[in-house]
Amino acid sequence: MPKLTNLELIALADSFPYPTDSRYKTEAGSLYQFMSHDMNAVLGYLLPSVVDILRDLKQLFVVSDEDQRVGIAPEYDSVEKRSKMMNDLALIWRNDNKFKVLKGWRSELYPIFYPSSKLYFTLERSACPIFGLVTYGAHMIAFVPASDSQKLRMWVPRRSRTKSTYPSMLDNTVAGGIGYPYGVFDTLIKECGEEAGFDPELIKEKAKSVGNVSYYYTRTSAAGGESGFLQPEVQYCYDLEITEHSPPPQPVDGEAEEFNLWDVEKVQEELAQGNFKPNTALVTIDFFVRHGIITPENEPNYLEITSRMHRNLEHPLR
Amino acid sequence: MPKLTNLELIALADSFPYPTDSRYKTEAGSLYQFMSHDMNAVLGYLLPSVVDILRDLKQLFVVSDEDQRVGIAPEYDSVEKRSKMMNDLALIWRNDNKFKVLKGWRSELYPIFYPSSKLYFTLERSACPIFGLVTYGAHMIAFVPASDSQKLRMWVPRRSRTKSTYPSMLDNTVAGGIGYPYGVFDTLIKECGEEAGFDPELIKEKAKSVGNVSYYYTRTSAAGGESGFLQPEVQYCYDLEITEHSPPPQPVDGEAEEFNLWDVEKVQEELAQGNFKPNTALVTIDFFVRHGIITPENEPNYLEITSRMHRNLEHPLR
């Protein structure tokens, strides 16, 4: 297999075309906007196959073919009403085997925001891609800084071979979705314990918030379920600088099969071979940009990469 | 004066409205796109007052009022032809006192790219805002990391009171535009010597490339010359970690009047009082995000801030 460039890796995670892209018309032209109950905000994008199903639910949604929009019906005018309606529907679909993606049912609620920063409703995690809703995660890379004798090294887990999504692929040291009603850093601390056995006190003291990435993912079958659902994502990024004598991360809940302490060169090789889960490749590339490993001098597509890792999502956000 | 929030500070640098903004129609509706000679790329946006001037130059530009576009005439089909035409025109305008912004003539060429990464033409620096062209800079913040007894401290220069642009305002430790034909890091090394007296060897060894910011600035009179010109900008960011015993930066070429070693709290206070030059406030906020000083927990507008600091500029880039 030819080696993937950094830009090709970014394009695997930020896979929905931009309006200026020649693919945009064919891939985005048939999509419908999923609107808030007041029709003022675009919460996500819907595939025509989903619109056909919503069309029959006249009590719940208002479909306008003229302008390719589907709104939540105006009577769903509270967080509680919207959350109940959306989750009841997801449960019916699950029982009817309507969508393969719901086989990954998590019994975990994700928050949807509108206006920005204000909770609009909550929805079962596995149902969010059906509506193209923005979801959020916290990712951390634990690393041992470069020394006179060695390059910077990073702790890279391999996902369990039995996971339904991206089995056996490489990942960020710790990564997890931000469920309702948890905060960003609280989620990170929890995931650090569950996935890697990190002491919460170590994380509270040493994990450093370093920004976030955002991108527009088009789901493939490797994500579990149908291909083509749109999944705009924001990942809050953290660095954990440790020494080689720090207690290493350990598989705890079985999400990770093993943790490897690899130097930059080895990580770049595994990236180029396509062995990382797409969005964790993107987060790793962001780490390399922030740590002066990928620079304007050594990366010909530097600005396209940094721009696409910070895609402006045109939806209300957390 | 009420204190400025971080989001308000970002909005001073990223001041051109987004298409979803209610100001967009009034502020962007009358603008013309400045197109490449093949009419395939939007290089920038033009004010109607500039279009009226270009309209009379029928040998040089093709104005289409129907779709609000102005193209470089198709016969300018080489870098050399375009560069000569554009710079000759700027010089004529300068001699005719056509634009106040040309009073800041720099005798420094800026590179314009199209397709991305490929030189399309060069143009005198002070003329770029007339055509709304993307310009590039390199900014560095020198800092002393936090210790047990002290918070992180940063070297903050005050601009000379005699500078024509933003006199006496606060700035990043080193900041300079990237002229043709210089590279990003080469420019940084040069500016570090000229503005702050940093040893080139120190910069080569210790300055760390940490990413870039991008934003869409609408010029005010503080920038020198006319208000309203559009100035999309990319700044490549560098961190220089030093100790309190390192030789301090020194005013060399008179750009800076003094350098202050201030802790985070003092810098935040000066930011909130609007004492930083707008784009250097943005770069400072990016530094705070990357260093875990501004976090999702303490900044309610976190995602709007990080998104706007990485605005996706819809033009071909370096």
Side-chain angles (χ1 to χ4, degrees):
Chain A
M1 197 172 92
K3 286 193 174 187
L4 295 165
T5 65
N6 289 324
L7 183 57
E8 286 166 338
L9 286 164
I10 293 295
L12 291 176
D14 185 47
S15 46
F16 184 61
Y18 285 70
T20 46
D21 191 313
S22 58
R23 290 193 293 130
Y24 187 78
K25 254 198 183 147
T26 49
E27 295 189 29
S30 62
L31 299 176
Y32 277 52
Q33 294 179 322
F34 181 51
M35 308 295 294
S36 55
H37 75 292
D38 60 8
M39 298 300 276
N40 281 333
V42 182
L43 305 173
Y45 285 94
L46 302 165
L47 296 182
S49 56
V50 175
V51 175
D52 284 343
I53 292 168
L54 301 183
R55 196 185 298 282
D56 294 334
L57 303 169
K58 294 196 197 313
Q59 311 288 314
L60 312 184
F61 301 102
V62 180
V63 178
S64 165
D65 290 306
E66 205 169 283
D67 48 8
Q68 298 193 189
R69 302 200 298 177
V70 177
I72 296 176
E75 48 270 39
Y76 292 96
D77 57 1
S78 75
V79 174
E80 291 67 31
K81 287 183 201 169
R82 289 183 289 267
S83 299
K84 182 168 183 340
M85 182 273 276
M86 293 290 287
N87 284 290
D88 285 354
L89 181 60
L91 199 58
I92 291 168
W93 283 344
R94 181 197 186 190
N95 293 333
D96 291 354
N97 286 317
K98 195 75 127 187
F99 293 104
K100 279 184 279 183
V101 74
L102 296 179
K103 289 198 195 304
W105 193 271
R106 303 284 285 249
S107 297
E108 184 184 353
L109 295 174
Y110 266 4
I112 310 305
F113 299 89
Y114 168 62
S116 283
S117 308
K118 218 177 150 208
L119 184 68
Y120 185 60
F121 62 84
T122 62
L123 179 58
E124 153 63 24
R125 175 171 175 166
S126 60
C128 291
I130 300 173
F131 296 94
L133 297 165
V134 184
T135 59
Y136 304 84
H139 285 230
M140 187 183 80
I141 292 177
F143 71 102
V144 178
S147 64
D148 290 342
S149 62
Q150 252 186 317
K151 297 198 168 182
L152 182 147
R153 285 168 292 165
M154 304 157 71
W155 281 106
V156 179
R158 188 178 298 282
R159 295 164 70 87
S160 159
R161 72 191 76 184
T162 62
K163 268 193 85 92
S164 59
T165 60
Y166 310 100
S168 297
M169 294 194 87
L170 301 172
D171 210 326
N172 299 135
T173 316
V174 171
I178 302 171
Y180 179 79
Y182 302 104
V184 179
F185 195 51
D186 291 341
T187 298
L188 184 78
I189 295 169
K190 181 171 70 72
E191 296 284 339
C192 278
E194 288 174 8
E195 291 187 357
F198 280 121
D199 177 359
E201 292 310 312
L202 173 79
I203 301 306
K204 277 183 208 165
E205 196 190 335
K206 296 274 188 196
K208 189 167 95 170
S209 169
V210 292
N212 67 278
V213 293
S214 52
Y215 50 89
Y216 223 125
Y217 183 55
T218 313
R219 281 174 77 96
T220 64
S221 59
E226 292 83 353
S227 294
F229 285 142
L230 296 170
Q231 195 164 312
E233 290 192 319
V234 173
Q235 309 294 355
Y236 295 89
C237 300
Y238 293 82
D239 281 0
L240 179 69
E241 182 178 325
I242 53 180
T243 73
E244 51 196 325
H245 309 297
S246 308
Q250 296 282 355
V252 177
D253 61 2
E255 295 264 319
E257 196 161 286
E258 60 182 28
F259 283 90
N260 308 286
L261 185 60
W262 283 339
D263 70 12
V264 165
E265 227 159 82
K266 170 71 173 163
V267 173
Q268 286 181 319
E269 204 179 287
E270 295 283 344
L271 279 169
Q273 281 167 17
N275 294 337
F276 274 76
K277 180 176 174 239
N279 69 347
T280 68
L282 183 147
V283 169
T284 304
I285 288 171
D286 173 64
F287 178 92
F288 286 159
V289 166
R290 288 186 292 97
H291 286 267
I293 292 158
I294 293 175
T295 71
E297 274 67 34
N298 68 23
E299 173 51 68
N301 302 305
Y302 190 83
L303 291 180
E304 185 171 354
I305 286 171
T306 60
S307 168
R308 292 183 65 173
M309 293 193 308
H310 298 101
R311 184 158 180 166
N312 297 169
L313 303 174
E314 285 163 8
H315 305 297
L317 295 181
R318 185 182 183 95
Chain B
M1 198 173 89
K3 285 192 174 187
L4 295 165
T5 65
N6 289 325
L7 183 57
E8 287 166 338
L9 286 163
I10 294 294
L12 291 176
D14 185 47
S15 47
F16 184 61
Y18 284 71
T20 48
D21 192 313
S22 58
R23 290 193 294 129
Y24 187 79
K25 253 198 183 148
T26 48
E27 295 189 29
S30 62
L31 300 176
Y32 278 51
Q33 294 178 322
F34 182 50
M35 308 295 295
S36 54
H37 76 292
D38 59 10
M39 297 301 274
N40 281 333
V42 183
L43 304 173
Y45 284 94
L46 303 165
L47 296 181
S49 54
V50 175
V51 175
D52 285 343
I53 292 167
L54 301 184
R55 198 184 296 283
D56 295 333
L57 305 167
K58 293 196 196 315
Q59 311 288 315
L60 312 184
F61 301 102
V62 180
V63 179
S64 164
D65 290 307
E66 203 169 285
D67 48 7
Q68 297 192 192
R69 303 200 297 178
V70 177
I72 296 176
E75 47 270 40
Y76 292 96
D77 57 1
S78 75
V79 173
E80 292 66 33
K81 288 183 200 168
R82 289 183 289 268
S83 300
K84 181 169 186 336
M85 182 273 276
M86 293 291 287
N87 285 290
D88 285 353
L89 180 59
L91 199 58
I92 292 169
W93 283 343
R94 180 196 189 192
N95 293 335
D96 290 354
N97 286 317
K98 193 76 124 187
F99 293 104
K100 277 183 280 183
V101 74
L102 297 179
K103 290 196 195 306
W105 193 272
R106 303 285 285 250
S107 297
E108 184 184 352
L109 294 175
Y110 265 4
I112 310 305
F113 299 90
Y114 168 61
S116 283
S117 309
K118 215 176 153 210
L119 184 68
Y120 185 60
F121 61 84
T122 62
L123 179 58
E124 153 63 26
R125 175 171 175 165
S126 60
C128 291
I130 299 173
F131 295 94
L133 298 165
V134 184
T135 58
Y136 304 83
H139 285 230
M140 186 183 80
I141 292 177
F143 71 102
V144 179
S147 64
D148 290 341
S149 62
Q150 252 186 320
K151 297 197 169 184
L152 183 148
R153 285 169 293 166
M154 305 157 69
W155 281 107
V156 179
R158 187 176 300 282
R159 295 163 70 87
S160 160
R161 73 191 75 186
T162 60
K163 267 193 87 90
S164 60
T165 60
Y166 310 100
S168 296
M169 294 194 88
L170 301 171
D171 210 325
N172 298 134
T173 317
V174 171
I178 302 172
Y180 178 79
Y182 302 103
V184 180
F185 195 52
D186 290 342
T187 299
L188 184 78
I189 295 169
K190 181 171 70 73
E191 295 285 339
C192 278
E194 288 174 8
E195 291 188 357
F198 281 120
D199 178 357
E201 290 311 311
L202 173 78
I203 301 307
K204 277 183 208 165
E205 194 190 338
K206 296 272 188 198
K208 189 167 94 170
S209 169
V210 292
N212 67 277
V213 293
S214 52
Y215 50 89
Y216 223 123
Y217 183 55
T218 313
R219 282 173 78 95
T220 64
S221 59
E226 292 83 352
S227 292
F229 285 143
L230 295 169
Q231 196 164 313
E233 290 192 319
V234 173
Q235 309 294 355
Y236 295 88
C237 301
Y238 292 82
D239 282 359
L240 179 69
E241 183 179 325
I242 54 179
T243 73
E244 51 197 325
H245 309 297
S246 308
Q250 298 283 356
V252 178
D253 61 3
E255 296 264 320
E257 197 160 286
E258 61 183 26
F259 282 90
N260 308 286
L261 184 60
W262 283 339
D263 70 12
V264 166
E265 227 158 84
K266 170 71 172 164
V267 173
Q268 287 181 319
E269 203 178 287
E270 296 283 346
L271 279 170
Q273 281 167 16
N275 294 337
F276 274 75
K277 178 174 176 243
N279 69 348
T280 69
L282 184 146
V283 169
T284 305
I285 289 171
D286 173 64
F287 179 92
F288 286 160
V289 166
R290 288 186 292 97
H291 285 268
I293 292 159
I294 293 176
T295 71
E297 273 67 35
N298 68 23
E299 173 50 68
N301 302 306
Y302 190 83
L303 290 181
E304 185 170 353
I305 286 171
T306 59
S307 168
R308 292 183 65 174
M309 293 194 306
H310 298 101
R311 184 158 179 166
N312 297 167
L313 303 174
E314 285 161 9
H315 304 298
L317 296 180
R318 187 183 182 93

